[in-house]
């Protein structure tokens, strides 16, 4: 539904759905909490982006499947609890005990990711040649993965922890609802599951081939949709 376009090329249904949800939030949630909620939501989105970057640049070892995902989950949990402790728990002796422990656990988890999860040779483990899609252009590549993305996640959590407990609880509830919606609907209708990505690659290739200047020499193009490979 969210990726469906109308006759004018606009995501009408997705826009209406998001607009109704945002209107309900703006109507019933006080602006004081809504302001913090929006800011925290953006920070949470950046955190998810950083986690995705690590997954796209690293992989789990063959001897331990899903090790990378498990370590990232532990790192997010430790960083979030560390941020809450630094922001709200340093007035008690317990906070001074848990803060160094959580910091050690967070840093050790990053080191484990760096040592035990080897880097991928291509971004997102894309095996086929993508020069037909992107040409020979070079793009920026984040250095020091996973350290820089994990530092960004920890910084985002520390900023989120500055909110009141009600604002943090509201954000956690929103994240749980979003996760449930993703696994119940989004994952099954993603372009990786319905084959849309393969056809998008074909359309992209045909568009580039159509825009290329015509030469006297002829070339042969073979497109395999089933395998998602263009040659």
């Amino acid at each position: 539904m969210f990726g469906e376009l109308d006759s004018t090329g606009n995501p009408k249904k997705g826009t209406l759905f998001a607009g109704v949800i945002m209107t309900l939030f703006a109507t019933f949630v006080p602006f004081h909490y809504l302001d913090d909620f929006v800011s925290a939501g953006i920070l949470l989105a950046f955190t998810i982006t950083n986690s995705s970057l690590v997954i796209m640049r690293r992989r789990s070892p063959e001897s331990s499947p899903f090790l990378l995902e498990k370590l990232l989950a532990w790192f997010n949990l430790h960083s979030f609890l560390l941020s809450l402790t630094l922001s709200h728990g340093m007035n008690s002796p317990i906070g001074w005990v848990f803060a160094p422990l959580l910091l050690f656990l967070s840093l050790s988890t990053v080191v484990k990711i760096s040592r035990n999860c080897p880097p991928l040779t291509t971004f997102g483990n894309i095996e086929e040649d993508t020069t037909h899609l992107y040409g020979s252009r070079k793009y920026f590549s984040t250095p020091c993965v996973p350290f820089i993305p994990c530092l960004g996640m920890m910084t985002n959590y520390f900023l989120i922890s500055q909110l009141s407990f009600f604002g943090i609880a509201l954000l956690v509830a929103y994240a749980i609802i979003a996760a449930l919606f993703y696994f119940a609907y989004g994952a099954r209708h993603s372009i990786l599951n319905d084959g849309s990505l393969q056809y998008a690659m074909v359309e992209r290739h045909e568009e580039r081939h159509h825009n290329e200047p015509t030469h006297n020499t002829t070339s042969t193009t073979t497109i395999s949709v089933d395998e998602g490979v263009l040659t």
Side-chain angles (χ1 to χ4, degrees):
M1 179 182 73
F2 297 99
E4 183 180 347
L5 303 179
D6 60 11
S7 58
T8 61
N10 296 313
K12 181 178 179 180
K13 293 182 179 180
T15 302
L16 289 176
F17 180 85
V20 170
I21 297 298
M22 294 301 103
T23 301
L24 292 176
F25 268 102
T27 302
F28 297 103
V29 179
F31 180 78
H32 171 71
Y33 297 119
L34 187 62
D35 184 29
D36 293 339
F37 178 72
V38 172
S39 299
I42 295 174
L43 293 172
L44 181 61
F46 289 157
T47 301
I48 296 174
T49 302
N50 287 324
S51 297
S52 301
L53 175 60
V54 177
I55 293 176
M56 298 295 283
R57 294 279 299 275
R58 295 274 176 163
R59 65 177 177 85
S60 300
E62 296 181 359
S63 59
S64 182
F66 302 106
L67 175 64
L68 176 60
E69 290 78 3
K70 294 176 182 178
L71 291 176
L72 273 177
W74 280 114
F75 173 80
N76 280 272
L77 177 61
H78 294 153
S79 298
F80 183 61
L81 294 178
L82 172 63
S83 300
L84 289 178
T85 303
L86 293 176
S87 299
H88 302 280
M90 299 306 293
N91 295 327
S92 64
I94 298 179
W96 288 94
V97 174
F98 277 97
L101 176 61
L102 292 170
L103 178 61
F104 171 78
L105 291 175
S106 300
L107 296 178
S108 61
T109 304
V110 179
V111 173
K112 287 182 180 179
I113 294 176
S114 178
R115 291 183 175 180
N116 300 330
C117 300
L120 292 168
T121 56
T122 58
F123 186 76
N125 201 24
I126 300 177
E127 298 180 355
E128 65 268 13
D129 182 18
T130 58
T131 55
H132 56 277
L133 295 177
Y134 306 107
S136 59
R137 292 173 293 178
K138 300 296 183 181
Y139 294 92
F140 173 78
S141 179
T142 303
C144 302
V145 176
F147 297 101
I148 289 182
C150 289
L151 178 61
M153 284 185 272
M154 187 175 294
T155 303
N156 292 335
Y157 281 129
F158 181 73
L159 294 175
I160 292 174
S161 67
Q162 307 299 313
L163 302 176
S164 63
F165 282 110
F166 179 80
I168 295 175
L170 191 65
L171 179 65
V172 172
Y174 164 77
I176 293 176
I177 294 174
L180 292 176
F181 180 81
Y182 171 77
F183 288 109
Y185 177 85
R188 293 184 299 173
H189 295 80
S190 65
I191 61 175
L192 292 178
N193 283 334
D194 61 11
S196 300
L197 179 61
Q198 297 175 353
Y199 288 99
M201 294 174 63
V202 172
E203 293 176 357
R204 174 62 174 167
H205 172 77
E206 292 178 346
E207 179 183 355
R208 287 178 58 87
H209 182 70
H210 178 74
N211 293 333
E212 290 178 353
T214 305
H215 300 284
N216 292 330
T217 59
T218 60
S219 61
T220 302
T221 302
T222 303
I223 301 177
S224 175
V225 177
D226 293 335
E227 298 297 332
V229 178
L230 310 178
T231 57

